[in-house]
Amino acid sequence: EPEVTQTPSHQVTQMGQEVILRCVPISNHLYFYWYRQILGQKVEFLVSFYNNEISEKSEIFDDQFSVERPDGSNFTLKIRSTKLEDSAMYFCASNSQGRGNYGYTFGSGTRLTVV
Amino acid sequence: DAKTTQPNSMESNEEEPVHLPCNHSTISGTDYIHWYRQLPSQGPEYVIHGLTSNVNNRMASLAIAEDRKSSTLILHRATLRDAAVYYCILRDRDNAGNMLTFGGGTRLMVKP
């Protein structure tokens, strides 16, 4: 079964450093997403991406965050200057059509620890 | 977005059926009912979805009330591997690209 692949599985970074989280969505999917989950809390939406541009973003997704699809396969989330409160699991997801009749496929996540 | 209400937790015995309820009294006519689950230390996983009719797949069955204000996810024979948080989420059929809004879900514990 096709998978969404995320790398690395765990990243530790110093506060103030930039990090890039990488995702390879399912190849024929058109809609891409980032979510995060702080330990013990709900899964929260960050951003959705379609046709090489952001289609929706949450209040969490401020100027410190950016997304990019640099080539035909990768989808990245960059955090410019990490803060302690950015420590969380970050999940990438994709789906083929974006509409309500289609399910999302999520990756296994990247655990980001900011120290 | 229409909201869903689920019990915080449920317990089941291994190899017995499990019925996970979800209330969505403000559901609109174009909302699909989706279920996802999240195993410990993993990302959410799609389980099943439906609009009006009951649905079956290899993972589970979805029973939707006639007025669509509630639904039930049915695991026919719970295994230890089914211990997870189960989320009931509504998605608009016509709103392309809209995000999933996760609530607290139901934590299912399966006893051997």
Side-chain angles (χ1 to χ4, degrees):
Chain A
E1 199 160 321
E3 288 184 345
V4 172
T5 306
Q6 289 187 246
T7 55
S9 56
H10 191 184
Q11 173 132 16
V12 181
T13 188
Q14 297 265 348
M15 192 168 56
Q17 295 294 305
E18 174 183 287
V19 294
I20 297 176
L21 309 183
R22 300 179 194 280
C23 169
V24 179
I26 292 172
S27 61
N28 63 348
H29 282 187
L30 301 176
Y31 290 82
F32 313 112
Y33 309 84
W34 284 100
Y35 288 77
R36 80 170 186 190
Q37 186 174 32
I38 296 170
L39 187 64
Q41 297 189 23
K42 296 177 184 177
V43 178
E44 301 174 289
F45 168 76
L46 292 178
V47 66
S48 59
F49 192 85
Y50 169 72
N51 202 24
N52 280 323
E53 59 183 28
I54 290 172
S55 48
E56 223 166 341
K57 61 183 181 178
S58 72
E59 288 177 357
I60 303 168
F61 193 88
D62 61 22
D63 292 343
Q64 293 298 313
F65 291 88
S66 62
V67 289
E68 198 178 36
R69 189 153 161 82
D71 53 43
S73 59
N74 290 286
F75 180 50
T76 62
L77 174 70
K78 183 193 291 187
I79 309 174
R80 284 190 188 75
S81 177
T82 50
K83 307 182 195 104
L84 294 176
E85 53 264 37
D86 294 326
S87 295
M89 284 290 292
Y90 287 81
F91 297 108
C92 174
S94 68
N95 64 7
S96 57
Q97 296 290 333
R99 297 184 188 278
N101 194 24
Y102 295 85
Y104 285 66
T105 304
F106 283 81
S108 298
T110 293
R111 179 174 298 285
L112 177 66
T113 303
V114 182
V115 297
Chain B
D1 284 341
K3 203 178 161 182
T4 63
T5 306
Q6 299 177 253
N8 289 334
S9 64
M10 289 184 67
E11 223 173 61
S12 169
N13 293 316
E14 199 177 8
E15 299 190 9
E16 287 186 359
V18 182
H19 291 232
L20 297 163
C22 181
N23 286 320
H24 28 79
S25 58
T26 59
I27 191 170
S28 78
T30 55
D31 282 336
Y32 275 86
I33 302 158
H34 282 241
W35 283 82
Y36 287 78
R37 71 179 186 180
Q38 188 174 23
L39 301 170
S41 302
Q42 294 193 28
E45 176 187 25
Y46 167 80
V47 177
I48 200 166
H49 75 279
L51 185 63
T52 55
S53 305
N54 295 343
V55 185
N56 301 297
N57 67 19
R58 62 177 177 80
M59 289 181 74
S61 295
L62 176 59
I64 301 173
E66 203 168 322
D67 63 4
R68 301 209 327 123
K69 294 187 176 181
S70 65
S71 60
T72 302
L73 181 71
I74 302 165
L75 308 179
H76 295 285
R77 269 178 89 238
T79 68
L80 296 178
R81 200 197 169 274
D82 292 322
V85 179
Y86 287 78
Y87 301 99
C88 169
I89 300 172
L90 303 181
R91 286 204 70 212
D92 189 332
R93 178 193 67 193
D94 297 329
N95 189 353
N98 67 343
M99 70 281 198
L100 292 173
T101 301
F102 288 83
T106 296
R107 180 173 299 278
L108 175 67
M109 292 166 279
V110 180
K111 295 185 292 184

